[in-house]
Each structure stands twice: as C-alpha cells, then as structure tokens.
Amino acid sequence: MSSLLPAAPRFRLSKPEWLDSPKVLRTEVLAGLVVALALIPEAISFSIIAGVDPAVGLFASFTMAVVISVVGGRKAMISAATGAVALVIAPLNQEHGLGYLIAAVILAGVFQVLLGAVGVAKLMRFVPRSVMVGFVNALAVLIFMAQVPEMRDVPWAVYPLLAGGLALMVFFPKVTKVIPAPLVSIVVLTVITVAAGIAVPTVGDKGELPSSLPVPGLPDVPFTLDTLTTIAPYALAMALVGLMESLMTAKLVDDITDTRSNKTRESIGQGVANIVTGFFGGMGGCAMIGQTMINVRVSGARTRLSTFLAGSFLMVLCVVFGPVVSDIPMAALVAVMVMVSVATFDWHSISPRTLRRMPLGETIVMVTTVVVVVATHNLAIGVVVGTVAAMIIFARRVAHLANVSGVVDPDGKQVVYSVTGELFFASSNDLVHQFDYKGDPDDVVIDLSGTHIWDASSVAALDAIETKYAQRGKKVTIVGLNEPSADMHQRLAGQLTGGH
C-alpha cells in the first residue's frame, strides 16, 4: 500500500551557485531589492482589500517570501500576500475580526500541507496548454488593469514620470545589464521627484509602514469547535486558491527558465509558509505572479537567494528606510508593472498567423480562460473553467472517432464488426445504434482490437448490444480486447443494469 502514496519531497542540501559566481550573486541581490520595492505598495493594497492594517499584509509578504525560499519547490518564485487570498478571507475579517482571519490562515496552511502530501500537485498534468496560455494572458491583463487606478485623477506630472520610467526600462538595458533597469527607473524617478519637489502620489500615501519586526503569537480566538466550523470553509477556499495560483506560477517559471520544479514540495512549502505567517500575524498568501515575473523575466534571477532577499529587504526597507521608501513615486512602480504586463503577455498566441493555424477549440479555451479570469479577478476560477471547457471540447471531438464497420462472410452465416477509436461515455452512447440487429445473421462477432474500453458506460453499451441481439435469438462474441479492457469488461459485464 505504501507504494501507492506519493513520494515524500526531498530536501537536499547543495552548495548554492551564487557562492561561486559574483555575477549571479549581484543579479540575485539586485533582483531581490527590485521585488522588495514592488512588494510594498502591492502588500498595502491587498491589506486594504482584506480590511486589515497595512502592517498585516507587509508582515505576510516578509514571512511568506523568507520561509518559501527555504521550503519551497520552485527556485526564484516569489510568494507574498496576494489579491486572490485577500478576496477569499476579506468576508471572514469583516464578520468576525482579525483573530479569526489569522486562525483561518494557519488552518489553510495545514490544509495545503495535507493536500500536498496526498499528491494534489499531480492534478497539474490535466491543465491543457491552451488554458496555460489563457492564464498567462489573463495575468498580464490583470496586472495592467491593477495599474489603471494609479493613472486616473492624478497630477499631470505623473504622466511624464511614467513615460520616463518606461523609456528607462526599454533603453537602459542597451547600455548595460549589470544593474536591473527597473531598479534604475525607481531610483532615478525618486531622485527627480524629491529634488524637484514634485507633488505626486507616493508609496507613503498607500499607508503607514511598520516600524518594528513582527513577533510570533497565537490568534486571539476561542479554541472551540464553533470557531473551527466558522473558519474551515474560508481556510479550505484559501488553500485551494493559493495552491492553484502557486502551482500555475511554478509551471510558468518552469517554462521560462527551462527547468523543472518539485510541485509536491512547493505545495507543502506553501502550507508551511502560511502556517508560519499566521503565527506571526500575517494575512497569508501564495505565489505572486507579477513579482515573480519581475524577479525571473525582468531581473533574471534564478536562485532561492533572490526570494529570500526580497522578503528580507522588504522588512529592512520598511523598518530602517521607511521615510526614504515612502518618498518613492507610485509612477515608478506603475511603470515597472506595466513593463511586466507587456513582457508576460503571450503576443504570439494572438497573432493572425497563429490563430489561422490553431484549432478553433484551442482558441475558444484560451479566450474563455482569459474572459473568466478578467471578469472574476480570480485566476483559480478561470483555470478551472478553462480546463472544464477544454475537457468538454476534447470529449466532443473524440466522441466522433469511434467507428464501426461490418463485413458479412460470403456464406452469409456470420458478420464481423470492427470497432476503432476510443470507447468512453461520450462515444459509447452512439455505439448501440451502429449495428443492424434485424438484418444481421445469427452469428455476430465484435472485434475490439482497434479500441480501448475506458469506463463503465462503454461496458453498459456492449451489454445493450448483446441484449438487442439476444432478443432476436442471435449470439454475440466479443474478441480482441486488450488486457485492461478485458479486465474491466469481465468485472462489469452484466452487472450494470440491476437485473432489469
């Protein structure tokens, strides 16, 4: 029985590559700094969505990033407080208060550890490529849409600052790639606004930054069954949304870096990170796709060091350099996120040449995923709906591939039907109607060597065919079954009608 359980994640210690390469070390350190700067306004915004103090979101981003850098399964991926998690737990905080929210975060972490241990990560294999493309494109759209409020009803100076930030990120890499362009853009725009005294929205306008490190403690709730039943639905929803977003992000980073990651370890690691975050008074979180793209695609980070430093720098920036960070213009961070959205979008997927060659069903699935995600602002819902749509389209397509052809012996005493294609619930429904029960001779042979029986519906269809022939006094012989099909047919034949 133990062989049926998923293998436990391996936590192997090896010498980090950044220890041997000053170039890699520089890249990781600067990438972590850029991500930390971008995390601050995001964490504050998500705190507002959840209805908690900004420090709660910032503490969550700090603990999530630091812990996942050690226990996670995907290098260079950033986990922090996220909008998806904030939306799930906001009603709980509104109705019952912060203590219940913190308790739900801890329980969600426990759920994620359990789900990871039983192999939930293996479900990722059922996410089609068209859904993945839709997920990426929807992510790019959401990242851009999240920046739109920062460009409305703002002083006119925001727009030239934004344009200047974008120009720096486009052209500075042509000069040198030693320093990440986003970091240069943030520093330059901050210096300009402070030196010239330009009044524009800044990070400090988003909320007060914490002045001390978080301390561990237990959630302020009664430890009763009533509390458990109250927080459990929110905790489970948070666990599922967090895992879905994290595993999809891990798969995206796998593709970008052309490396594989341990999804089971990542699932368990997300749970551990949320448990730790809860005990430190954070609002919980999951993989943060926008910041991960800054880290991996824009800054070129590839190791755990960048993730660890993103969380560490976040707290240092807030606690030690709070006044300086508060002066960073939001235009600089908006410019960074706009560039991230442009780089994230799969422009090839919507080119006329690709659309002409791509099967219509694949395009429909991709568009469906994008529309649902953008409409709900929930990546997990979009992925589920897109995957279900892909399965339906696939089932309809495959259902028409089961063909039946009959050949009558020259003496007219026997007919041999050859069945090709896949037999499952969609295709087997039409199978019953493809035989000439009245006109066939008394000896009927059904050759299934060109097919495979996948489910009970197919066995039931074969039973119905045998019954229709038997009612006319004709004998049916089924031949050519492969071993799995024969086993299923032997176990279920004649057992599916309840004796009726």
Side-chain angles (χ1 to χ4, degrees):
M1 291 294 292
S2 61
S3 62
L4 299 177
L5 297 174
R10 296 180 178 178
F11 295 84
R12 293 180 296 180
L13 295 176
S14 58
K15 186 178 181 180
E17 58 184 289
W18 47 267
L19 283 178
D20 295 324
S21 173
K23 181 180 179 181
V24 172
L25 177 60
R26 181 181 63 244
T27 298
E28 299 297 310
V29 171
L30 293 177
L33 180 57
V34 173
V35 172
L37 290 169
L39 275 174
I40 294 173
E42 294 279 300
I44 295 174
S45 298
F46 298 145
S47 299
I48 295 171
I49 292 174
V52 298
D53 189 81
V56 177
L58 290 165
F59 288 158
S61 295
F62 162 58
T63 53
M64 286 293 297
V66 169
V67 174
I68 206 67
S69 70
V70 178
V71 301
R74 174 62 261 177
K75 295 178 181 179
M77 190 166 76
I78 305 296
S79 290
T82 60
V85 168
L87 289 170
V88 170
I89 59 177
L92 178 63
N93 179 64
Q94 184 177 1
E95 294 175 18
H96 299 280
L98 180 61
Y100 281 81
L101 182 151
I102 300 301
V105 170
I106 296 172
L107 183 58
V110 174
F111 283 148
Q112 288 178 329
V113 170
L114 295 175
L115 289 169
V118 300
V120 70
K122 293 182 179 179
L123 295 177
M124 286 301 297
R125 73 183 66 179
F126 297 106
V127 178
R129 181 188 177 279
S130 53
V131 174
M132 190 67 193
V133 173
F135 168 83
V136 171
N137 289 345
L139 160 66
V141 173
L142 287 183
I143 292 174
F144 182 82
M145 289 175 60
Q147 312 315 310
V148 172
E150 304 295 338
M151 295 183 276
R152 286 183 186 155
D153 301 322
V154 292
W156 68 268
V158 168
Y159 302 108
L161 286 172
L162 180 61
L166 291 172
L168 275 171
M169 283 183 284
V170 171
F171 296 109
F172 187 80
K174 300 181 186 302
V175 178
T176 178
K177 294 184 179 179
V178 173
I179 303 176
L183 180 58
V184 173
S185 177
I186 292 171
V187 171
V188 170
L189 294 190
T190 303
V191 170
I192 290 174
T193 54
V194 172
I198 302 174
V200 291
T202 63
V203 170
D205 296 332
K206 288 292 183 179
E208 185 178 352
L209 302 181
S211 57
S212 62
L213 293 173
V215 293
L218 295 174
D220 184 18
V221 295
F223 292 90
T224 62
L225 182 61
D226 183 59
T227 299
L228 181 62
T229 56
T230 300
I231 67 174
Y234 294 95
L236 181 59
M238 174 183 163
L240 294 174
V241 168
L243 282 183
M244 176 75 75
E245 197 155 335
S246 299
L247 293 175
M248 290 292 288
T249 305
K251 190 173 185 299
L252 177 60
V253 178
D254 288 353
D255 294 339
I256 292 173
T257 61
D258 196 24
T259 58
R260 294 186 63 183
S261 59
N262 189 329
K263 304 301 189 300
T264 297
R265 175 175 173 177
E266 182 61 39
S267 301
I268 296 175
Q270 288 289 330
V272 173
N274 272 305
I275 292 172
V276 173
T277 296
F279 281 120
F280 275 90
M283 57 181 277
C286 61
M288 206 169 190
I289 306 168
Q291 271 61 28
T292 298
M293 291 299 100
I294 294 176
N295 197 46
V296 176
R297 176 163 278 175
V298 179
S299 301
R302 292 293 183 270
T303 76
R304 297 179 185 276
L305 181 62
S306 58
T307 306
F308 177 83
L309 290 178
S312 302
F313 282 151
L314 173 63
M315 276 294 97
V316 172
L317 289 169
C318 291
V319 176
V320 181
F321 300 102
V324 176
V325 173
S326 296
D327 287 335
I328 296 176
M330 285 301 300
L333 299 175
V334 169
V336 172
M337 298 307 294
V338 168
M339 284 298 295
V340 169
S341 68
V342 172
T344 301
F345 197 92
D346 187 351
W347 298 101
H348 176 72
S349 67
I350 61 171
S351 68
R353 183 178 180 182
T354 301
L355 293 175
R356 283 195 300 269
R357 295 185 176 186
M358 190 68 65
L360 180 60
E362 300 278 316
T363 302
I364 291 174
V365 169
M366 187 267 285
V367 172
T368 299
T369 304
V370 173
V371 170
V372 173
V373 170
V374 172
T376 63
H377 283 239
N378 191 314
L379 292 162
I381 293 176
V383 170
V384 171
V385 172
T387 302
V388 171
M391 290 179 176
I392 293 173
I393 291 173
F394 174 77
R396 286 178 58 86
R397 186 185 304 158
V398 176
H400 300 296
L401 299 181
N403 298 312
V404 178
S405 57
V407 178
V408 180
D409 281 355
D411 57 10
K413 294 182 178 181
Q414 184 185 71
V415 60
V416 178
Y417 283 100
S418 295
V419 181
T420 58
E422 303 299 318
L423 290 183
F424 66 112
F425 63 90
S427 60
S428 59
N429 287 332
D430 295 329
L431 187 67
V432 179
H433 307 293
Q434 298 190 47
F435 295 85
D436 185 2
Y437 301 101
K438 182 178 180 181
D440 283 341
D442 293 342
D443 189 7
V444 179
V445 177
I446 301 178
D447 182 4
L448 300 180
S449 58
T451 187
H452 182 94
I453 296 177
W454 288 103
D455 57 10
S457 297
S458 302
V459 177
L462 293 173
D463 283 350
I465 293 169
E466 290 188 75
T467 299
K468 288 180 179 292
Y469 276 117
Q471 290 171 348
R472 294 168 173 79
K474 300 176 182 182
K475 177 186 175 184
V476 174
T477 303
I478 296 177
V479 300
L481 288 169
N482 58 36
E483 186 174 344
S485 300
D487 179 64
M488 179 175 289
H489 186 262
Q490 183 178 1
R491 285 187 292 108
L492 298 179
Q495 307 296 319
L496 301 173
T497 59
H500 299 295

